[in-house]
């Protein structure tokens, strides 16, 4: 078996990395503009956010919509394929919350899981 084509490698190449799952998690709540990502993920740089969004768009998971306004408005949302990833995000969120409780890790808040 070619390990490069295994499901886990395909998964990690598509949504792995430091920020992609968090970007997708926030998009599972609502469509967002670039500014909103910076408010929710203050540690992310402009270059990294732009690169991650372009990769997710290229892979068919995120849709970029440009509104013809002055100034131009750009909004990101999940595609149908992206929405199919929401149950995975919910499972990851639940696991993280359970892990934090079991390990007595301080959290600013309980992140609500089970987005649609």
């Amino acid at each position: 078996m070619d390990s490069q084509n295994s499901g886990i490698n395909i998964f990690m190449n598509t949504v792995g990395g430091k920020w992609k799952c968090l970007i997708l998690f926030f998009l599972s709540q609502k469509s967002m503009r670039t500014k909103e990502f910076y408010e929710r993920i203050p540690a992310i740089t402009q270059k990294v956010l732009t690169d991650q969004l372009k990769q997710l768009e290229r892979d068919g998971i995120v849709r970029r919509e440009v509104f013809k306004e002055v100034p131009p408005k750009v909004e990101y949302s999940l595609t149908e394929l992206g929405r199919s990833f929401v149950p995975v995000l919910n499972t990851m969120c639940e696991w993280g919350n359970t892990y934090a409780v079991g390990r007595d890790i301080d959290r600013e808040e309980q992140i609500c899981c089970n987005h649609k």
Side-chain angles (χ1 to χ4, degrees):
M1 177 171 85
D2 182 1
S3 64
Q4 297 303 311
N5 289 328
S6 69
I8 193 69
N9 279 337
I10 293 168
F11 172 86
M12 292 303 297
N13 289 335
T14 306
V15 296
K18 187 171 182 179
W19 302 112
K20 283 184 181 177
C21 284
L22 197 53
I23 290 167
L24 294 172
F25 182 80
F26 289 127
L27 286 176
S28 75
Q29 297 171 327
K30 65 176 189 149
S31 297
M32 294 179 66
R33 296 180 68 184
T34 305
K35 178 184 172 189
E36 294 175 279
F37 286 111
Y38 295 123
E39 292 168 359
R40 296 203 177 186
I41 315 170
I44 198 168
T45 65
Q46 180 179 357
K47 180 186 180 337
V48 170
L49 177 61
T50 300
D51 288 348
Q52 300 283 279
L53 287 167
K54 282 181 182 179
Q55 290 169 15
L56 290 165
E57 184 182 9
R58 178 199 67 213
D59 291 335
I61 297 171
V62 167
R63 175 182 302 108
R64 179 180 187 264
E65 186 174 0
V66 180
F67 296 88
K68 294 180 181 180
E69 300 177 358
V70 177
K73 174 183 169 185
V74 177
E75 191 171 272
Y76 295 91
S77 60
L78 295 179
T79 63
E80 186 176 332
L81 179 61
R83 286 190 298 277
S84 74
F85 189 67
V86 171
V88 177
L89 291 168
N90 289 333
T91 299
M92 292 167 62
C93 178
E94 291 165 5
W95 186 91
N97 283 328
T98 301
Y99 179 82
V101 168
R103 303 288 291 179
D104 199 28
I105 297 171
D106 288 334
R107 294 166 294 151
E108 292 180 18
E109 62 184 78
Q110 173 86 16
I111 300 292
C112 180
C113 301
N114 297 319
H115 296 103
K116 297 180 180 183

